[in-house]
PDB file of all heavy atoms in Angstrom:
ATOM      1  N   LEU A  89      41.860 -76.394 -37.537  1.00 97.00           N
ATOM      2  CA  LEU A  89      40.753 -75.660 -36.922  1.00 97.00           C
ATOM      3  C   LEU A  89      40.368 -76.250 -35.566  1.00 97.00           C
ATOM      4  O   LEU A  89      40.400 -77.464 -35.378  1.00 97.00           O
ATOM      5  CB  LEU A  89      39.529 -75.670 -37.843  1.00 97.00           C
ATOM      6  CG  LEU A  89      39.742 -75.135 -39.256  1.00 97.00           C
ATOM      7  CD1 LEU A  89      38.412 -75.103 -40.013  1.00 97.00           C
ATOM      8  CD2 LEU A  89      40.386 -73.747 -39.237  1.00 97.00           C
ATOM      9  N   GLY A  90      39.977 -75.364 -34.657  1.00 98.00           N
ATOM     10  CA  GLY A  90      39.652 -75.801 -33.309  1.00 98.00           C
ATOM     11  C   GLY A  90      38.258 -76.354 -33.155  1.00 98.00           C
ATOM     12  O   GLY A  90      37.967 -77.068 -32.200  1.00 98.00           O
ATOM     13  N   SER A  91      37.386 -76.012 -34.105  1.00 98.00           N
ATOM     14  CA  SER A  91      35.992 -76.418 -33.908  1.00 98.00           C
ATOM     15  C   SER A  91      35.248 -76.532 -35.229  1.00 98.00           C
ATOM     16  O   SER A  91      35.572 -75.868 -36.205  1.00 98.00           O
ATOM     17  CB  SER A  91      35.298 -75.395 -32.995  1.00 98.00           C
ATOM     18  OG  SER A  91      33.955 -75.752 -32.787  1.00 98.00           O
ATOM     19  N   ILE A  92      34.236 -77.392 -35.204  1.00 98.00           N
ATOM     20  CA  ILE A  92      33.378 -77.636 -36.367  1.00 98.00           C
ATOM     21  C   ILE A  92      31.940 -77.499 -35.883  1.00 98.00           C
ATOM     22  O   ILE A  92      31.624 -77.883 -34.761  1.00 98.00           O
ATOM     23  CB  ILE A  92      33.595 -79.078 -36.891  1.00 98.00           C
ATOM     24  CG1 ILE A  92      35.066 -79.343 -37.227  1.00 98.00           C
ATOM     25  CG2 ILE A  92      32.705 -79.370 -38.108  1.00 98.00           C
ATOM     26  CD1 ILE A  92      35.628 -78.600 -38.420  1.00 98.00           C
ATOM     27  N   LEU A  93      31.091 -76.940 -36.742  1.00 98.00           N
ATOM     28  CA  LEU A  93      29.673 -76.914 -36.385  1.00 98.00           C
ATOM     29  C   LEU A  93      28.841 -77.497 -37.512  1.00 98.00           C
ATOM     30  O   LEU A  93      29.309 -77.626 -38.645  1.00 98.00           O
ATOM     31  CB  LEU A  93      29.182 -75.494 -36.073  1.00 98.00           C
ATOM     32  CG  LEU A  93      28.575 -74.662 -37.225  1.00 98.00           C
ATOM     33  CD1 LEU A  93      27.416 -73.838 -36.728  1.00 98.00           C
ATOM     34  CD2 LEU A  93      29.617 -73.775 -37.877  1.00 98.00           C
ATOM     35  N   ALA A  94      27.613 -77.854 -37.149  1.00 98.00           N
ATOM     36  CA  ALA A  94      26.619 -78.220 -38.148  1.00 98.00           C
ATOM     37  C   ALA A  94      25.487 -77.210 -38.020  1.00 98.00           C
ATOM     38  O   ALA A  94      24.779 -77.187 -37.022  1.00 98.00           O
ATOM     39  CB  ALA A  94      26.104 -79.634 -37.896  1.00 98.00           C
ATOM     40  N   GLY A  95      25.345 -76.346 -39.014  1.00 95.00           N
ATOM     41  CA  GLY A  95      24.270 -75.338 -39.016  1.00 95.00           C
ATOM     42  C   GLY A  95      22.925 -75.993 -39.285  1.00 95.00           C
ATOM     43  O   GLY A  95      22.828 -77.189 -39.574  1.00 95.00           O
ATOM     44  N   GLY A  96      21.891 -75.171 -39.219  1.00 93.00           N
ATOM     45  CA  GLY A  96      20.527 -75.675 -39.325  1.00 93.00           C
ATOM     46  C   GLY A  96      20.216 -76.450 -40.586  1.00 93.00           C
ATOM     47  O   GLY A  96      19.321 -77.289 -40.599  1.00 93.00           O
ATOM     48  N   ASN A  97      20.930 -76.167 -41.647  1.00 90.00           N
ATOM     49  CA  ASN A  97      20.668 -76.878 -42.903  1.00 90.00           C
ATOM     50  C   ASN A  97      21.796 -77.829 -43.282  1.00 90.00           C
ATOM     51  O   ASN A  97      21.897 -78.250 -44.429  1.00 90.00           O
ATOM     52  CB  ASN A  97      20.446 -75.881 -44.047  1.00 90.00           C
ATOM     53  CG  ASN A  97      18.995 -75.422 -44.101  1.00 90.00           C
ATOM     54  OD1 ASN A  97      18.095 -76.128 -43.681  1.00 90.00           O
ATOM     55  ND2 ASN A  97      18.783 -74.228 -44.618  1.00 90.00           N
TER      56      ASN A  97
END
Side-chain angles (χ1 to χ4, degrees):
L89 304 185
S91 180
I92 304 291
L93 92 142
N97 275 333

